[in-house]
Amino acid sequence: MPKIAEPSRATSFIYKICQPFLRDRLMHLLLIAAILLSFLAPHPPADYPAWVDWNTIATLAGMLLLTKGIEVSGYLEHLGRMIINHLGQQRALALFLVSASALLSTILTNDIALFIVVPLTVGLANIGGLPIGRLVIFETLAVNAGSLLTPIGNPQNILLWQRSHLSFATFTWQMVPLALAVSLILLLVTWLSFPKKTIHAEMEDNPASYKTSLLRTCSLLYIAFLVSVEFGHPGWGLLGVTVAAALLFREVIAKVDWSLILVFILMFIDIHLLTQLDFIQSWVGAIQHFSQLELFLSALLGSQVISNVPATILLVNYSDAYKVIAYGVNAGGFGLAIGSLANIIALRMAPERHLWLRFHLYSFPFLILSGFIAWWLLV
């Protein structure tokens, strides 16, 4: 029997990059929607690139690459395992995981935070009586609460940061009251929802497998990239990060879910095509005349219908009340699972079935609470 040739390194590298595009159902759905909408609202395809906010896309791409490098280094998981192995109570464990999820989401984006914390949590499944599903639910709520604080915490904030032209510090400062209020409520609910039951976790760890140089390099590049974005040059920042990655940690490039970039590009295109339809134009045309309450409710409730990132893309094209939109779409990440892509990511990683219903039992009260708090802070 003739020997089958093994795929070359280049072929394997390309396959790893293309794999997410083949299995990303959301991307496929958005692509189909774009094709259908292009027939209903015909425009030359050459016009499509002008509808995309490329500064936002460049910022998101750079963040994805560098945060993936930090994740791949393994040091955050190493630190998490060390802490978990020294915690002796279920309540202490829950407070740690919720706090870690919120904190990581402020600097590594909400989805990366989940990709680190949720697998750690699932790895605790062999500890008898530990409510893994409930922990995942609270971690999901935590990344929604934590990520709203900074302009790099989630995709909608990245877009609002680019459009508002605020500095990193100014954007963060305007979000502090809402983030602080929601996070304190979440910690209180976490305290009440998990008992002081004694546990003994023994998570295996191998510090020798962690990559110190990768962590150091990605951390330094992360700071440099944020500085380039702060000064209005995300494209040059992305170019520098990409060249550095190709030279220093090429293996990380293949591990990034690049289909997410295409998802957001398609969101820009789909939203623009959708707003060109006659029965939609009369409504979106009125957005620029909305009162502050109408705009806030559109952001809050619109997130429940089309998710908070598309809601943000739609509203920023017709209104420059960026703080109102930011408060509305970030509070709108709670409620229905569709409110935030992070919700869907977390629930798909959870090992328990029927977790979606239980998630909404916690998430809807947070939608109501965060909505009232956000509006109270705005007025």
Side-chain angles (χ1 to χ4, degrees), residues 36-291:
L36 294 176
L37 288 169
S38 67
F39 287 104
L40 297 174
H43 280 79
D47 292 348
Y48 290 10
W51 304 340
V52 180
D53 190 316
W54 292 106
N55 283 336
T56 298
I57 296 300
T59 303
L60 183 61
M63 290 291 299
L64 281 177
L65 181 54
L66 292 173
T67 54
K68 176 57 72 171
I70 292 172
E71 178 192 349
V72 171
S73 75
Y75 266 91
L76 293 176
E77 287 188 20
H78 169 52
L79 179 62
R81 288 191 180 100
M82 286 178 58
I83 295 174
I84 287 173
N85 285 339
H86 286 84
L87 293 174
Q89 292 180 353
Q90 189 179 122
R91 178 179 291 166
L93 174 65
L95 288 170
F96 164 70
L97 291 173
V98 167
S99 300
S101 300
L103 180 61
L104 288 174
S105 68
T106 66
I107 54 177
L108 299 182
T109 73
N110 49 11
D111 56 341
I112 294 294
L114 288 171
F115 284 129
I116 293 171
V117 178
V118 172
L120 274 176
T121 306
V122 173
L124 298 168
N126 60 337
I127 300 177
L130 201 61
I132 300 299
R134 197 191 318 158
L135 285 169
V136 172
I137 289 172
F138 274 75
E139 289 160 5
T140 309
L141 299 175
V143 299
N144 283 321
S147 67
L148 70 86
L149 175 63
T150 64
I152 57 173
N154 53 49
Q156 66 269 19
N157 278 5
I158 291 175
L159 173 57
L160 289 162
W161 181 33
Q162 294 300 308
R163 288 294 183 94
S164 65
H165 302 293
L166 296 175
S167 68
F168 188 102
T170 303
F171 187 100
T172 301
W173 182 249
Q174 76 172 4
M175 303 304 294
V176 165
L178 180 59
L180 184 60
V182 176
S183 297
L184 287 175
I185 293 173
L186 177 60
L187 288 174
L188 176 60
V189 176
T190 303
W191 178 278
L192 297 173
S193 299
F194 293 88
K196 293 179 65 176
K197 182 180 178 181
T198 301
I199 62 170
H200 182 65
E202 287 290 347
M203 299 192 73
E204 294 184 4
D205 198 22
N206 180 20
S209 65
Y210 301 128
K211 305 172 183 177
T212 306
S213 60
L214 179 59
L215 176 67
R216 185 186 304 115
T217 301
C218 288
S219 297
L220 292 173
L221 285 171
Y222 189 89
I223 295 171
F225 179 70
L226 288 183
V227 171
S228 72
V229 176
E230 177 81 0
F231 284 94
H233 302 290
W236 288 110
L238 176 61
L239 178 61
V241 166
T242 304
V243 171
L247 294 175
L248 302 175
F249 48 95
R250 187 183 175 195
E251 73 281 0
V252 174
I253 298 176
K255 296 180 179 180
V256 176
D257 185 2
W258 294 113
S259 66
L260 188 60
I261 298 297
L262 185 54
V263 163
F264 287 105
I265 291 174
L266 287 170
M267 281 183 178
F268 280 107
I269 294 172
D270 285 354
I271 291 296
H272 191 94
L273 288 171
L274 186 65
T275 56
Q276 301 306 302
L277 300 178
D278 291 338
F279 69 95
I280 296 291
Q281 277 189 330
S282 59
W283 180 79
V284 297
I287 292 176
Q288 56 189 324
H289 304 296
F290 277 2
S291 66

Side-chain angles (χ1 to χ4, degrees), residues 350-373:
E352 296 183 19
R353 294 185 176 183
H354 311 301
L355 196 61
W356 293 71
L357 177 59
R358 290 169 56 199
F359 167 79
H360 290 106
L361 294 177
Y362 290 98
S363 187
F364 269 113
F366 270 90
L367 172 67
I368 296 169
L369 280 172
S370 61
F372 275 116
I373 293 170

